[in-house]
């Protein structure tokens, strides 16, 4: 959802390795586009929750999106539905942004880091920190230690 709204590939400019895994466990998440409707941004944030029991199930996602869709079909005037008010506001922001972008910006190729891998694969990183949400994301001295100790002794973390 966020990739479609932001039109950006997550973590495209960095290697997809144990250091990124540590950062994600410590709360790093892709930035949600400022012009994303708040209801969708909130839904994305719920999907990224560090605690699996706080994430919506596929069924809950389906029901939420279906409700928004049905509300749009059943309402004579979408002006009263929160999601449509937010989408309208976001569309206006996107239109302004689009009109202000040069043709060069619109056609630029997205370059990804050679170690940014977007295919499913098993990652067997050991001793990752306990996951936290982005609102509590901070790199502190022990986060730095984790990264340094992983780099100093990588065989300890890979089988």
């Amino acid at each position: 959802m966020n990739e479609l709204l932001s039109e950006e590939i997550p973590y495209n400019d960095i290697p997809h390795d144990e250091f990124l895994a540590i950062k994600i466990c410590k709360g790093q998440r892709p930035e949600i586009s400022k012009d994303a409707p708040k209801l969708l941004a909130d839904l994305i944030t719920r999907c990224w929750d560090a605690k699996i029991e706080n994430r919506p199930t596929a069924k809950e996602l389906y029901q939420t999106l279906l409700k928004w869709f049905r509300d749009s079909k059943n309402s004579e005037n979408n002006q009263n539905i929160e999601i449509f008010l937010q989408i309208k506001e976001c569309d206006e922001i996107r239109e302004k942004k689009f009109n202000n972008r040069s043709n060069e910006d619109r056609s630029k190729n997205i370059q990804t880091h050679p170690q940014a891998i977007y295919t499913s694969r098993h990652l067997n990183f050991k001793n990752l920190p306990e996951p936290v949400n982005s609102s509590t994301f901070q790199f502190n001295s022990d986060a730095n230690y984790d990264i340094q100790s992983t780099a100093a002794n990588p065989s300890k973390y890979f089988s």
Side-chain angles (χ1 to χ4, degrees), residues 11 14-26 28 115 125 128-129 137 139 143-154 157-158:
Y11 310 118
I14 56 176
H16 295 185
D17 57 13
E18 72 274 12
F19 302 115
L20 177 57
I22 290 169
K23 289 177 185 178
I24 291 170
C25 286
K26 293 203 174 272
Q28 182 172 327
Q115 293 174 318
F125 303 138
L128 288 175
F137 174 71
F139 273 115
N144 193 27
Y145 171 78
D146 288 343
I147 291 171
Q148 288 174 351
S149 64
T150 303
N153 190 5
Y157 294 93
F158 302 98

Side-chain angles (χ1 to χ4, degrees), residues 3-142:
E3 187 174 341
L4 292 173
L5 290 170
S6 69
E7 299 176 8
E8 293 183 15
I9 300 170
Y11 310 118
N12 70 317
D13 57 347
I14 56 176
H16 295 185
D17 57 13
E18 72 274 12
F19 302 115
L20 177 57
I22 290 169
K23 289 177 185 178
I24 291 170
C25 286
K26 293 203 174 272
Q28 182 172 327
R29 303 291 188 272
E31 187 175 328
I32 296 175
S33 178
K34 290 173 181 49
D35 56 355
K38 182 170 177 0
L39 289 171
L40 288 176
D42 291 345
L43 190 58
I44 291 166
T45 302
R46 285 187 55 216
C47 291
W48 288 343
D49 198 290
K51 293 183 179 180
I52 194 167
E53 62 271 12
N54 293 341
R55 295 180 209 149
T57 64
K59 183 177 181 179
E60 290 169 328
L61 284 173
Y62 172 78
Q63 289 172 337
T64 299
L65 296 172
L66 183 62
K67 179 188 181 313
W68 291 341
F69 176 76
R70 284 184 176 157
D71 286 349
S72 73
K73 295 295 180 190
N74 294 335
S75 176
E76 291 179 23
N77 184 355
N78 289 338
Q79 301 300 325
N80 298 327
I81 300 172
E82 183 64 27
I83 188 68
F84 290 98
L85 295 173
Q86 291 181 19
I87 288 172
K88 183 179 177 186
E89 181 180 333
C90 293
D91 283 346
E92 291 168 3
I93 294 169
R94 284 177 182 259
E95 184 67 29
K96 287 178 190 173
K97 195 173 13 175
F98 181 79
N99 289 336
N100 290 334
R101 285 170 43 191
S102 69
N103 286 337
E104 184 178 305
D105 287 344
R106 291 180 199 153
S107 65
K108 76 176 183 181
N109 290 335
I110 298 173
Q111 297 293 319
T112 58
H113 192 281
Q115 293 174 318
I117 301 167
Y118 290 95
T119 56
S120 295
R121 60 193 169 122
H122 179 71
L123 302 173
N124 192 19
F125 303 138
K126 306 275 191 244
N127 300 324
L128 288 175
E130 192 68 30
V132 297
N133 288 321
S134 58
S135 61
T136 59
F137 174 71
Q138 293 178 355
F139 273 115
N140 54 27
S141 58
D142 66 352

